[in-house]
Amino acid sequence: LGKVPSNLERFQEAELIHCRWAMLGTAGCWGVEALGFGTWQDAPLAALSGNETYFGKEIPLSLPALAGIEFFVMAYVESARSSETDRTKRMYPGGAFDPAGLASDPKEFEILKRKEIANGRLAMVAFLGIITQSNANGMGPVQAWAAHVADPWNVSAAQNAAAVPFL
């Protein structure tokens, strides 16, 4: 994949974007369940019920209206990001996106970039685990973790062949 340098740069940028989405998704799956709002698998079903709420508060817009707003906002943000010619600014925008000033020290910034990609790769694997666990037994991540902690010798991937389908 790295024979063509321009492709390698594009792949690195795509990996970073995927890492960030995976970190958000993994935290979201855990957060929804930990806060007592059901599991992430139940979220789409709430939209089908016709009762659009967000953390128990009524949403004044319909699901198609919200999806349309999200589409246009994301299209604008992605077009603005893609139009940036400097690769570093496209991947690490800084400015308003760095209110804590974490990128002010170049040496520390390089360390943080390596930590971000390492944690992002871990989040991609973690999200694969969340999806696999959900398909294997229908549990969310918090419920599955609690079941494993309660009985680690009998509740694990080694005890459930459906949890690791590709083995």
Side-chain angles (χ1 to χ4, degrees), residues 34-91:
L35 293 173
F37 293 104
T39 62
W40 67 276
Q41 305 100 309
D42 299 334
L45 302 176
L48 295 176
S49 69
N51 184 16
E52 287 89 8
T53 62
Y54 184 72
F55 290 113
K57 301 205 186 287
E58 194 72 28
I59 298 174
L61 300 170
S62 67
L63 185 61
L66 288 173
I69 291 168
E70 180 181 0
F71 175 79
F72 285 110
V73 169
M74 288 300 294
Y76 170 75
V77 169
E78 281 300 306
S79 67
R81 185 184 66 79
S82 298
S83 67
E84 178 62 54
T85 56
D86 183 9
R87 181 174 177 257
T88 304
K89 285 184 179 177
R90 193 170 51 240
M91 292 171 65

Side-chain angles (χ1 to χ4, degrees), residues 142-156:
V142 175
Q143 186 181 13
W145 175 73
H148 173 70
V149 169
D151 189 10
W153 296 107
N154 295 315
V155 181
S156 67

